[in-house]
Amino acid sequence: MKNLNEQNNIARVIGRITTEPAKSHKIEGENFYELVLEVKRLSDTYDYIPVTISERLLDGRELQIGEQIAVEGEFRSYNKLEEDKSKLILHVFARDLYSENELDMLPDSYNTNSVSITGFVCKSPVFRVTPFKREICDALIAVNRRNFKSDYLPCIFWGRNARFMDKQPIGTKVSLEGRIQSRIYTKKLADGTEQERVAYEISVGKLKELDQEEVYPKNEEYKDYIEENCPCAEKSTRSL
């Protein structure tokens, strides 16, 4: 991938395809396809990560269930209206694609799941302690794109990183590294029934404290922008 150091959103996943590539949408004559990758953790469990690939990147290649591929790109979000509610959808947007026989071309090919982002805290972090006394903090990070749009990425922090994030106000700029993880949860619906769903987030391993001059001004104008654009308030259409 070219110019990685110039980006504030870099993701890589290597895994096996578990779903047939399905046409998702079309923009300016270019078709985009979605599939799910099964990515193995060190614990021998798996994450199931949605990936979006353009037909231009496929270049006539037919991907098959069970095939192992590597995808490098960005971890992105968009908002989707469901029953008059805005739902945050997360996926890896592919910039480069490698087939199984091309994996040796990748540096650090053992690194099957990684993401590095720089962005701004856009929602007050939520700190908690589990029954096993583990400190956890959830935060939503806004990552700007070059086209003046933003991705809103849920992140989970642990231990001292969790304690640090708990003290950060909206507008704080952070740089972090981690992995994309999926988890299954049960949602109770209005009619009393329960539905199994999948959530995606960045499990943060490294967190960089930026210098004070790198912190975005936490003024009323910025807070107003967040209220208008953060997924908890926004009801927009899909944008890649």
Side-chain angles (χ1 to χ4, degrees), residues 8 15 18 35 78 108 117 121 143 148 158 221:
N8 56 8
T18 63
L35 55 84
Y78 64 91
D108 303 327
I117 63 172
V121 176
V143 180
F148 303 105
W158 315 87
E221 180 181 354

Side-chain angles (χ1 to χ4, degrees), residues 26-89:
K26 188 174 186 178
I27 297 179
E28 297 181 355
E30 183 177 4
N31 291 315
F32 290 84
Y33 296 84
E34 292 182 345
L35 55 84
V36 174
L37 280 188
E38 179 186 69
V39 181
K40 190 175 182 179
R41 297 187 188 182
L42 293 176
S43 60
D44 285 338
T45 55
Y46 293 89
D47 292 296
Y48 294 87
I49 301 174
V51 174
T52 301
I53 305 175
S54 79
E55 63 180 349
R56 296 176 187 173
L57 191 57
L58 289 172
D59 193 26
R61 185 184 319 184
E62 294 186 5
L63 300 177
Q64 306 292 330
I65 291 178
E67 180 181 352
Q68 187 173 24
I69 62 171
V71 170
E72 291 184 335
E74 302 166 4
F75 192 38
R76 289 189 176 185
S77 73
Y78 64 91
N79 292 324
K80 181 179 180 181
L81 281 179
E82 291 185 355
E83 300 177 354
D84 295 327
K85 292 183 179 179
S86 183
K87 181 180 179 182
L88 187 68
I89 306 296

Side-chain angles (χ1 to χ4, degrees), residues 29-228:
E30 183 177 4
N31 291 315
F32 290 84
Y33 296 84
E34 292 182 345
L35 55 84
V36 174
L37 280 188
E38 179 186 69
V39 181
K40 190 175 182 179
R41 297 187 188 182
L42 293 176
S43 60
D44 285 338
T45 55
Y46 293 89
D47 292 296
Y48 294 87
I49 301 174
V51 174
T52 301
I53 305 175
S54 79
E55 63 180 349
R56 296 176 187 173
L57 191 57
L58 289 172
D59 193 26
R61 185 184 319 184
E62 294 186 5
L63 300 177
Q64 306 292 330
I65 291 178
E67 180 181 352
Q68 187 173 24
I69 62 171
V71 170
E72 291 184 335
E74 302 166 4
F75 192 38
R76 289 189 176 185
S77 73
Y78 64 91
N79 292 324
K80 181 179 180 181
L81 281 179
E82 291 185 355
E83 300 177 354
D84 295 327
K85 292 183 179 179
S86 183
K87 181 180 179 182
L88 187 68
I89 306 296
L90 296 148
H91 63 129
V92 173
F93 183 81
R95 293 289 189 187
D96 288 295
L97 173 66
Y98 300 86
S99 60
E100 190 163 4
N101 59 6
E102 296 174 322
L103 297 184
D104 290 341
M105 298 169 52
L106 293 172
D108 303 327
S109 59
Y110 61 87
N111 186 3
T112 61
N113 185 341
S114 64
V115 61
S116 173
I117 63 172
T118 299
F120 300 92
V121 176
C122 65
K123 190 176 181 181
S124 296
V126 177
F127 180 86
R128 65 189 189 277
V129 180
T130 72
F132 297 101
K133 307 301 182 183
R134 194 170 192 188
E135 297 168 307
I136 299 175
C137 187
D138 296 299
L140 192 66
I141 306 299
V143 180
N144 296 328
R145 299 187 199 170
R146 293 180 180 178
N147 59 1
F148 303 105
K149 299 182 184 295
S150 297
D151 294 296
Y152 299 95
L153 305 178
C155 299
I156 185 167
F157 301 80
W158 315 87
R160 64 186 182 88
N161 285 339
R163 294 192 296 273
F164 170 79
M165 285 303 299
D166 183 42
K167 298 179 176 63
Q168 304 312 307
I170 290 174
T172 301
K173 188 177 182 181
V174 293
S175 178
L176 57 88
E177 297 177 16
R179 63 178 178 82
I180 303 167
Q181 69 178 23
S182 64
R183 57 180 174 85
I184 298 174
Y185 69 98
T186 302
K187 182 177 178 62
K188 192 170 184 178
L189 305 180
D191 60 4
T193 60
E194 294 183 343
Q195 187 178 77
E196 193 174 86
R197 297 187 177 182
V198 182
Y200 305 96
E201 61 203 356
I202 297 175
S203 178
V204 177
K206 295 182 181 180
L207 171 63
K208 181 180 178 182
E209 301 180 32
L210 300 180
D211 295 334
Q212 185 63 33
E213 61 266 21
E214 294 185 272
V215 177
Y216 197 98
K218 292 176 275 295
N219 51 32
E220 292 304 317
E221 180 181 354
Y222 180 75
K223 291 181 180 179
D224 290 342
Y225 171 81
I226 290 298
E227 289 179 0
E228 292 177 1

